[in-house]
């Protein structure tokens, strides 16, 4: 049958389209069902276009501070529409790239709303017409959407989700960002560098709360130094939007509530999985607070139904979804007798790096100091500041920190945490080290090129054992 496949992937984000490509490489007849644009939220409305926006604000920040480099740039301005247009153009270019990859790998793309109507069967609806598809296996990779609360709802005009914040029609004068996770601090960083007066409200006792406490503390100082107001252990009780702005009722850590006027508000309070209305309930697929429960290979509790990416729960990261896509595709191929000859490997979430692309950047992998102690490890901890690194000073980026955490008895690298320029690139060195189960001795014996920012990674390891050279 023309519409019968080995595998159908519901959703074409970085998990879904990667799973489809890997399955096709292994000889599976594969199709993707997508209701919007190929590439999903990450490529079209998340990871990629936000980095384009942040690049614009980074360049503006450097131009505003040109005198620090012996240069002159007067009356620096910007065209907001052009900044947004560049960001959308980057997303559009990559969307076209995914379309090319689908054709290259002979993957059928069915546009429309997909719903699993029975085991191994999907109905795709578009413009009132329905197409029935069948498959031996189905991967659910439907992603997630911005979370809202009953008293905190976006209107797209004054109160924004990340999607609205990426395509603003006007520049906020006074901006409130609710939530200080990666999305919150990235938008706070962008709009602050573009000239907005920014306030961040965080319910927990520190910003970027999933990060190591030393990184959170450093980030707080940097953002406040850049003029961003930060309220921790605070909550937004109410938002009243009008044509001119938003009145926010904010309860501080003492329990006192005050109202403040803002021009715009960004809701960055997490995400909600797209697991409703796709047929999971009727099949009995197990979920936990809306997130599909899967194992380390992507299997759900229902044979032939797999799930990956943001719809399955944290960490909500594109690279996690992509890796899950490869694992699931190889597992499915193996079950159909079309494997690569190597047993599929289970997903290890402990080695997934986390990156925040604000200014300064944050990157981490493994356990924080607090989590390592809770796990019962005796620790050796190394820290090295950017101010001790020649390349960082030469770049004019001498504010930052690299922190490494080792098991004192075995030398195992338990975690690595960084804040500063380009740390989202540097972190991969520690990810590889953890993947290869590298010890502190091997890291200390590794030669790092000079002058590079990566030398700080070496120095942090040395510091954990009292051997740091340059600080």
């Amino acid at each position: 049958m023309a519409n019968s496949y080995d595998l159908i992937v519901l959703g074409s984000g970085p998990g879904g389209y990667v799973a489809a490509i890997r399955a096709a490489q292994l000889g599976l007849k594969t199709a993707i069902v997508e209701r919007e644009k190929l590439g999903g939220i990450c490529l079209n409305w998340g990871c990629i276009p936000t980095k384009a926006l942040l690049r614009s604000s980074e360049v503006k920040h450097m131009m505003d501070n040109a005198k620090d480099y012996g240069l002159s740039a007067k009356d620096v301005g910007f065209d907001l529409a052009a900044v947004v247009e560049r960001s959308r153009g980057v997303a559009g270019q990559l969307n076209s790239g995914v379309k090319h990859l689908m054709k290259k790998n002979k993957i059928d793309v069915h546009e429309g709303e997909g719903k699993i109507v029975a085991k191994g069967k999907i109905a795709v609806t578009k413009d009132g017409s329905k197409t029935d598809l069948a498959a031996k296996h189905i991967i659910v990779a439907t992603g997630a959407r911005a979370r809202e609360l009953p008293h905190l709802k976006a209107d797209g005009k004054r109160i924004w989700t990340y999607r609205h914040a990426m395509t603003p029609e006007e520049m906020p004068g006074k901006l409130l960002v609710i939530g200080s996770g990666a999305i919150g601090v990235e938008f706070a960083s962008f709009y602050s560098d573009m000239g907005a007066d920014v306030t961040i409200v965080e319910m927990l006792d520190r910003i970027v709360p999933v990060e190591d406490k030393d990184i959170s503390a450093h980030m707080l100082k940097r953002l406040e130094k850049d003029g961003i107001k930060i309220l921790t252990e605070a909550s937004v009780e109410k938002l009243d939007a009008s044509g001119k702005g938003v009145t926010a009722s904010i309860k501080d850590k003492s329990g006192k509530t005050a109202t403040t006027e803002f021009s715009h508000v960004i809701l960055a309070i997490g995400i909600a999985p797209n697991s409703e209305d796709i047929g999971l309930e009727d099949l009995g697929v197990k979920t936990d607070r809306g997130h599909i429960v899967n194992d380390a290979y992507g299997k759900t509790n229902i044979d032939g139904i797999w799930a990956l990416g943001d719809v399955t729960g944290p960490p909500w990261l594109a690279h996690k979804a992509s890796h899950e896509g490869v694992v699931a595709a190889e597992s499915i191929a193996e079950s159909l007798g079309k494997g690569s000859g190597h047993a599929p490997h289970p997903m290890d979430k402990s080695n997934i790096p986390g990156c925040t692309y604000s200014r300064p950047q944050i990157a981490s992998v493994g356990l924080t100091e607090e989590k390592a102690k809770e796990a019962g490890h005796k620790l050796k901890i190394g820290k090295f500041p950017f101010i001790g690194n020649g390349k960082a000073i030469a770049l004019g980026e001498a504010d930052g920190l690299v922190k490494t955490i080792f098991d004192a008895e075995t030398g195992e690298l338990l975690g690595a945490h960084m804040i500063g320029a380009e740390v989202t690139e540097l972190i991969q060195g520690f990810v590889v080290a953890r993947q290869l189960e590298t010890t502190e001795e091997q890291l200390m014996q590794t030669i790092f090129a000079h002058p590079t920012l990566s030398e700080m990674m070496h120095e942090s390891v040395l510091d954990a054992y009292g051997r740091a050279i340059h600080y």
Side-chain angles (χ1 to χ4, degrees), residues 411-431:
E412 177 188 357
L413 176 62
L414 298 173
H417 309 273
M418 307 176 176
I419 182 169
E422 302 303 329
V423 296
T424 56
E425 300 291 340
L426 296 178
I427 193 63
Q428 198 60 36
F430 283 134
V431 177

Side-chain angles (χ1 to χ4, degrees), residues 71-84:
L71 305 174
S72 176
K74 297 180 180 179
D75 301 321
V76 177
F78 63 91
D79 180 339
L80 183 61
V83 170
V84 173

Side-chain angles (χ1 to χ4, degrees), residues 263-274:
S263 66
H264 298 80
V265 176
I266 296 176
L267 304 178
I269 51 179
I271 64 169
N274 295 324

